[in-house]
Amino acid sequence: AMDWEQMEALKTIRAFLKVRTSYDVLPLSFRLIVFDTSLLVKKSLNILIQNGIVSAPLWDSKTSTFAGLLTTSDYINVIQYYWQNPDALARVDQFRLNSLRDIEKAIGVTPIETVSIHPDRPLYEACRKMLESRARRIPLVDVDDETHRAMVVSVVTQYRILKFVAVNVKELQKLRKPLKDLNVGTYSNLATAYMDTPVMDVIHALVKKNISSVPILEKDVGSVVNVFEAVDVITLIKGGNYDDLNLSVGEALLKRSDEFAGIYTCSMNDSLATIFEQIRKSRVHRLVVIDEESKLKGVLTLSDILEYILLEGEENE
Ligand code: ADP
């Protein structure tokens, strides 16, 4: 009976995502901060921090075109470049957002293709596109009738979509199966670190595994004491100061702003119903799965949840 209920709830969520569009997720009034690609990287950091955001669409004013999305990955690339070229600080200091593609080439990372979607398309499609490209956010791009130019309307994140589901789909209550009986989240080969691990090691782990957070454990005990997140690099290199890259994780975490959303945990006995309840109430970006002794069991991220609600039980995926 529980399996059947769980499947019914998933079907309701999928049907809901197919009849709603990205426009439905947008608040009635919102602001969109767009960066000109000629902006200095170090200035862009300060603007993000001042506005409490972690990403922004880019605009190339020379060609009047949308130039992709600036995300924490771009800053991590700059950090890696600096780490490989420590004598080039003067050059790094003068990097502009339009240098980001050259930095990708210099450090040998494959550029992330910017997927985008028209705001009128079903949310379901936006979710599928995000899962396929592993993007955590997707720009909503419309075409101006007169100029035929692409215009960025807004950006929709995984979090915003899951929150929208959490607020609007009452059948979520039926998702009562505990995590231990589901195939959602990661429970092996977890990347972790200690408070005294050099923060650069953690940043390298984020890149190597293409993940957005690393749980920080207490040595010998194994209990979770904190989580280092990809967004933490933004405060770390604030104002283009790269000295803090020599800190330990523990020291780096002390630089977090007061607005830090906090760390969310859950247990293998929690159900997605409870987890959606948390997403509805708070700005949850991932949950660290722990046991009764606060020992790390796994990581459950928004893309894991999104993948489960979209694809679980679907054939031919
Ligand atoms: P999201 O894509 O939701 O932003 P992540 O990029 O952190 O989240 O996660 C991508 C995938 O990697 C997910 O399947 C997640 O369970 C897994 N993952 C996340 N953090 C870790 C970690 N520290 N160690 C191993 N796997 C992880």
Side-chain angles (χ1 to χ4, degrees):
M2 212 149 94
D3 272 331
W4 185 82
E5 266 206 317
Q6 188 94 6
M7 254 346 273
E8 284 304 296
L10 293 178
K11 280 184 195 157
T12 310
I13 300 171
R14 288 168 198 167
F16 175 79
L17 290 171
K18 283 173 183 169
V19 296
R20 297 304 183 94
T21 71
S22 300
Y23 265 130
D24 296 327
V25 185
L26 299 181
L28 284 179
S29 123
F30 62 89
R31 63 179 181 169
L32 178 66
I33 296 171
V34 178
F35 286 160
D36 193 291
T37 50
S38 63
L39 188 69
L40 285 170
V41 168
K42 61 179 176 188
K43 290 212 173 146
S44 71
L45 281 163
N46 292 346
I47 299 172
L48 291 181
I49 294 168
Q50 275 160 21
N51 289 283
I53 53 176
V54 296
S55 119
L58 298 173
W59 180 255
D60 184 337
S61 52
K62 284 212 187 79
T63 55
S64 298
T65 52
F66 166 55
L69 207 57
L70 175 75
T71 69
T72 49
S73 303
D74 294 304
Y75 295 109
I76 291 179
N77 288 343
V78 174
I79 290 174
Q80 286 184 290
Y81 179 90
Y82 169 69
W83 206 247
Q84 291 171 15
N85 306 277
D87 300 332
L89 188 58
R91 187 164 0 124
V92 174
D93 194 54
Q94 291 309 309
F95 276 152
R96 294 176 190 276
L97 297 178
N98 54 24
S99 336
L100 292 171
R101 296 297 157 256
D102 300 329
I103 296 166
E104 281 174 349
K105 274 193 216 124
I107 60 170
V109 301
T110 32
I112 330 170
E113 86 178 289
T114 305
V115 288
S116 63
I117 192 158
H118 192 282
D120 281 341
R121 301 301 304 161
L123 268 181
Y124 186 85
E125 206 178 296
C127 294
R128 288 297 295 262
K129 278 197 168 190
M130 282 197 272
L131 288 176
E132 276 153 28
S133 63
R134 296 204 59 186
R136 287 132 191 155
R137 53 189 76 236
I138 188 167
L140 306 179
V141 176
D142 201 345
V143 178
D144 187 275
D145 287 340
E146 276 173 29
T147 63
H148 301 289
R149 279 191 178 135
M151 301 184 318
V152 194
V153 177
S154 185
V155 177
V156 164
T157 60
Q158 290 180 345
Y159 171 70
R160 208 185 257 281
I161 294 176
L162 289 173
K163 179 136 181 150
F164 185 67
V165 170
V167 169
N168 292 293
V169 183
K170 66 174 187 320
E171 283 81 0
L172 288 176
Q173 293 164 13
K174 293 185 190 158
L175 292 173
R176 284 189 297 157
K177 280 180 97 173
L179 290 183
K180 62 171 184 279
D181 296 339
L182 298 176
N183 184 17
V184 57
T186 303
Y187 301 91
S188 57
N189 298 319
L190 295 165
T192 60
Y194 302 117
M195 282 298 198
D196 61 359
T197 306
V199 74
M200 265 318 284
D201 290 2
V202 180
I203 293 175
H204 284 135
L206 293 174
V207 176
K208 193 163 156 249
K209 298 197 97 164
N210 190 12
I211 50 178
S212 59
S213 75
V214 171
I216 310 302
L217 307 183
E218 183 157 341
K219 256 193 195 142
D220 305 325
V221 185
S223 54
V224 179
V225 288
N226 216 321
V227 176
F228 186 85
E229 302 176 2
V231 296
D232 287 318
V233 302
I234 291 180
T235 36
L236 199 60
I237 55 167
K238 182 162 88 180
N241 174 5
Y242 295 87
D243 294 339
D244 285 350
L245 295 176
N246 295 305
L247 297 179
S248 66
V249 179
E251 290 164 331
L253 288 174
L254 291 176
K255 310 240 160 190
R256 251 180 197 160
S257 91
D258 301 336
E259 269 131 71
F260 176 66
I263 287 156
Y264 294 90
T265 60
C266 66
S267 90
M268 295 297 274
N269 296 317
D270 280 317
S271 66
L272 284 177
T274 343
I275 288 165
F276 267 108
E277 190 55 26
Q278 275 216 310
I279 292 175
R280 193 174 64 78
K281 287 198 215 130
S282 355
R283 215 147 48 105
V284 180
H285 283 284
R286 67 192 56 78
L287 294 117
V288 185
V289 189
I290 54 172
D291 67 11
E292 312 77 51
E293 291 163 328
S294 296
K295 283 194 188 135
L296 181 67
K297 286 281 172 205
V299 178
L300 179 63
T301 73
L302 299 185
S303 64
D304 293 328
I305 299 173
L306 201 60
E307 187 174 344
Y308 177 84
I309 63 170
L310 257 72
L311 303 180
E312 176 67 17
E314 294 274 284
E315 300 302 325
N316 314 317
E317 292 306 336

